[in-house]
Amino acid sequence: MTVHSQGATTSAPQDAPQKSAGLPTVPVTAVGPRRTAPRGGRRPLPSGWLPYLLVGPAVLSLATLLLYPLIKNVILSFQDINKIEFIQRKYPFAGFGNYTELLGDTTFWTVVVRSFAFTLANVALIMVLGSLIGILLSRLGTWMRLVLSMALVMAWAMPIVASVQVFQWLFDEQFGVMNWVMRTAGFSGYEQHNWFETGLSTLTIVTILVVWGSIPFVALNMYAGLTTVGAELYEAARMDGANGWQTFWKIVFPNLKPFFLVTTFLEVIWVFKAFTQVYAMKKGGPDRASEILPVFAYVEGQSQAHYGLAAAISVLTILILVIVMSFYFRLILKQEEEQ
């Protein structure tokens, strides 16, 4: 229908419902986006379950590979199993016998003290030398930084057993490089000198090996952390007349304190449970004088066939490490709360 009014033409709205003779009027309603039903008539999973389903395979794998052996090891620590019982497949219950035997054994406590001394010496050297090399990386030019970084990465990537073989050759009694260096420098008594004569000297060489292999991790992380410290802070320190040592303690250390705490935490764990370097060097010798707790447990279990006792040693090692780390972990949490 068209209406003419004062020369203007107006059309009726096209979206108005049209009425036709004999047909009912259908009301027009607003229709939102059409939702499609899930296939197969299944309801969608609640969004709250999705994270658990994604994490489930990893949790199951960890429980299979870590939790189950740990539980079996704890059970074994309460059994008196030696070579005869192992062959006969008898598993007599010993209660706390293995633990009381260890706690009353002076050899065990000697190994504990040696393990703590070994860990303390290694972690201190790793953190100090690694931090210094990290600072050096930040001061070098591009090409020298690249060369030093590549050298650190290659040292870090070297397999442990291969590095042990290299160090055994360096300190070899007959063909070792160190004996040649000492003789060339004019020192006497280094004709076929045995660097592995005592447990202390053996652990000293192992310490050099562990520090050499662990410095790259600390140095590269230290350099990465230094890149986050603003250049204006160094400029302000120089304007105030601060020297290098004061700049480190007043600028670098406060800004990188979380890095030092976490890195030290990791190094303590890695060094305390070090096994390959010590065992591959001299198998805890001479006369078991260079054994630390992981090597002590392995030798008791595999060489001496005291399986229950070895399991008790490993459980005590875990407990000692957890107790020590709990105090340090509280320090890290306290540091995070202060920030």
Side-chain angles (χ1 to χ4, degrees), residues 8 17 54 100 120 167 187 201 211 265 281 310 313 317 319 322 331:
L54 295 176
T100 55
L120 179 62
F167 272 74
F187 294 95
S201 61
V211 171
F265 177 79
M281 188 69 72
I313 296 172
T317 302
L319 290 177
V322 168
L331 181 62

Side-chain angles (χ1 to χ4, degrees), residues 18-327:
Q18 302 291 331
K19 294 183 179 180
S20 58
L23 294 177
T25 303
V26 180
V28 179
T29 59
V31 179
R34 185 178 180 183
R35 297 181 181 179
T36 58
R39 294 181 179 178
R42 297 179 181 178
R43 299 178 62 184
L45 290 174
S47 59
W49 286 97
L50 183 59
Y52 298 100
L53 292 177
L54 295 176
V55 177
V59 174
L60 183 61
S61 301
L62 288 175
T64 304
L65 299 175
L66 297 178
L67 186 60
Y68 176 74
L70 179 61
I71 294 175
K72 291 291 291 184
N73 188 71
V74 173
I75 296 174
L76 181 61
S77 67
F78 291 100
Q79 297 172 336
D80 186 15
I81 302 178
N82 297 313
K83 184 178 293 185
I84 297 177
E85 289 79 8
F86 183 77
I87 295 174
Q88 296 177 349
R89 295 186 177 181
K90 295 180 179 179
Y91 310 107
F93 183 71
F96 290 93
N98 292 323
Y99 292 97
T100 55
E101 180 180 350
L102 284 174
L103 296 177
D105 188 5
T106 56
T107 303
F108 171 75
W109 291 110
T110 301
V111 175
V112 171
V113 173
R114 185 186 301 140
S115 300
F116 275 104
F118 176 77
T119 303
L120 179 62
N122 277 272
V123 173
L125 290 173
I126 290 169
M127 293 304 300
V128 171
L129 296 178
S131 300
L132 291 176
I133 295 177
I135 295 173
L136 177 62
L137 283 171
S138 65
R139 302 292 180 87
L140 293 175
T142 303
W143 286 105
M144 288 302 299
R145 183 187 303 121
L146 179 62
V147 171
L148 182 55
S149 299
M150 291 298 297
L152 291 172
V153 170
M154 287 189 290
W156 193 13
M158 189 173 185
I160 296 178
V161 176
S163 60
V164 169
Q165 295 295 323
V166 172
F167 272 74
Q168 286 179 337
W169 167 69
L170 290 174
F171 292 92
D172 185 72
E173 184 175 351
Q174 185 174 359
F175 303 104
V177 176
M178 288 304 301
N179 281 337
W180 174 81
V181 170
M182 299 300 289
R183 292 195 303 268
T184 304
F187 294 95
S188 59
Y190 287 93
E191 293 289 341
Q192 297 187 353
H193 175 71
N194 184 11
W195 293 90
F196 302 98
E197 185 175 2
T198 64
L200 179 61
S201 61
T202 302
L203 282 180
T204 302
I205 297 173
V206 174
T207 297
I208 298 173
L209 170 62
V210 172
V211 171
W212 171 80
S214 301
I215 279 179
F217 174 77
V218 179
L220 294 175
N221 279 282
M222 180 69 177
Y223 169 68
L226 288 172
T227 58
T228 64
V229 181
E232 64 276 4
L233 297 177
Y234 295 106
E235 184 65 25
R238 283 193 293 268
M239 292 178 63
D240 291 339
N243 54 29
W245 185 252
Q246 292 172 334
T247 301
F248 176 81
W249 281 112
K250 300 297 183 180
I251 302 298
V252 176
F253 185 77
N255 284 276
L256 298 183
K257 192 174 182 180
F259 156 77
F260 286 107
L261 290 175
V262 174
T263 306
T264 304
F265 177 79
L266 294 175
E267 291 296 337
V268 169
I269 295 176
W270 290 339
V271 174
F272 193 82
K273 66 182 185 65
F275 169 80
T276 308
Q277 296 91 333
V278 180
Y279 187 79
M281 188 69 72
K282 284 298 175 181
K283 297 183 178 180
D287 298 328
R288 305 185 66 177
S290 63
E291 290 181 353
I292 58 176
L293 280 172
V295 179
F296 182 57
Y298 180 82
V299 172
E300 285 292 331
Q302 297 298 321
S303 300
Q304 306 298 321
H306 299 155
Y307 303 108
L309 191 65
I313 296 172
S314 62
V315 172
L316 288 176
T317 302
I318 295 174
L319 290 177
I320 292 173
L321 187 59
V322 168
I323 293 172
V324 172
M325 287 294 96
S326 63
F327 294 101

